[in-house]
């Protein structure tokens, strides 16, 4: 829900490859996702300081090299079991019929998760899902 997110630097990739690419935060869809999850009984809150991390930004700028479509990033707590995350997807699934694309990514797929947990204790979310509004 950061209206002006900054992408995290990508290791071993020259900034000249992605420095021109501007993230396009979809605040309207973010608010909508929060409302849908709250209506389903989930305790959710917007993060107004969230920047685009290395587990979401590289995929988006490679999939959409011309310009960034409107994107909402949903952070999920990796300490919860997979069924919890599946339920979040089920709740947000109606957006697919409106042309939204869901991309699951994040530290939840990294083999170094235990290392990250020890190294970044302040980082409470590892898994991310990008909700992208796709228009023709």
């Amino acid at each position: 829900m950061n209206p002006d997110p900054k992408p995290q630097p990508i290791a071993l990739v020259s900034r000249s490859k992605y420095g021109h690419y501007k993230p396009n935060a979809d605040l309207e869809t973010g608010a909508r996702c929060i409302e849908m999850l709250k209506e389903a009984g989930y305790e959710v809150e917007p993060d107004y300081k969230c920047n685009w991390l290395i587990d979401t930004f590289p995929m988006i700028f490679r999939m959409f090299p011309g310009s960034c479509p409107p994107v909402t990033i949903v952070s999920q707590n990796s300490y919860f079991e997979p069924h919890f995350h599946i339920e979040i997807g089920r709740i947000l699934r109606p957006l697919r019929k409106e042309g939204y694309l869901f991309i699951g990514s994040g530290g939840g797929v990294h083999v170094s998760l235990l290392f990250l947990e020890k190294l970044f204790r302040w980082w409470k979310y590892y898994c991310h899902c990008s909700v992208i509004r796709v228009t023709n």
Side-chain angles (χ1 to χ4, degrees):
M1 297 293 290
N2 182 348
D4 189 28
K6 307 290 185 254
Q8 181 182 33
I10 303 169
L12 305 175
V13 177
S14 170
R15 187 146 183 92
S16 65
K17 300 277 187 197
Y18 64 90
H20 66 285
Y21 200 83
K22 177 148 176 47
N24 183 7
D26 187 351
L27 303 180
E28 179 183 325
T29 300
R32 200 164 159 208
C33 289
I34 288 171
E35 187 61 33
M36 291 171 77
L37 291 167
K38 281 184 176 181
E39 285 177 4
Y42 281 81
E43 184 180 329
V44 295
E45 60 187 40
D47 183 350
Y48 298 107
K49 296 180 182 178
C50 179
N51 285 313
W52 289 20
L53 302 177
I54 195 166
D55 55 359
T56 51
F57 180 69
M59 287 180 293
I60 293 171
F61 95 83
R62 293 284 190 202
M63 289 177 67
F64 305 98
S67 65
C68 186
V71 176
T72 297
I73 296 178
V74 178
S75 295
Q76 301 170 3
N77 193 324
S78 67
Y79 292 106
F80 295 148
E81 62 183 32
H83 297 92
F84 174 83
H85 297 121
I86 291 170
E87 184 63 13
I88 289 174
R90 188 193 64 76
I91 292 164
L92 298 177
R93 181 174 35 201
L95 295 173
R96 290 176 56 204
K97 291 181 180 175
E98 298 175 32
Y100 286 85
L101 170 67
F102 290 80
I103 302 173
S105 67
V109 299
H110 293 288
V111 293
S112 60
L113 183 59
L114 293 176
F115 170 73
L116 288 173
E117 181 179 346
K118 291 177 183 174
L119 185 62
F120 300 111
R121 292 203 179 272
W122 52 269
W123 191 17
K124 69 180 186 178
Y125 301 114
Y126 295 109
C127 305
H128 293 98
C129 174
S130 300
V131 181
I132 302 170
R133 191 182 328 168
V134 180
T135 56
N136 295 335

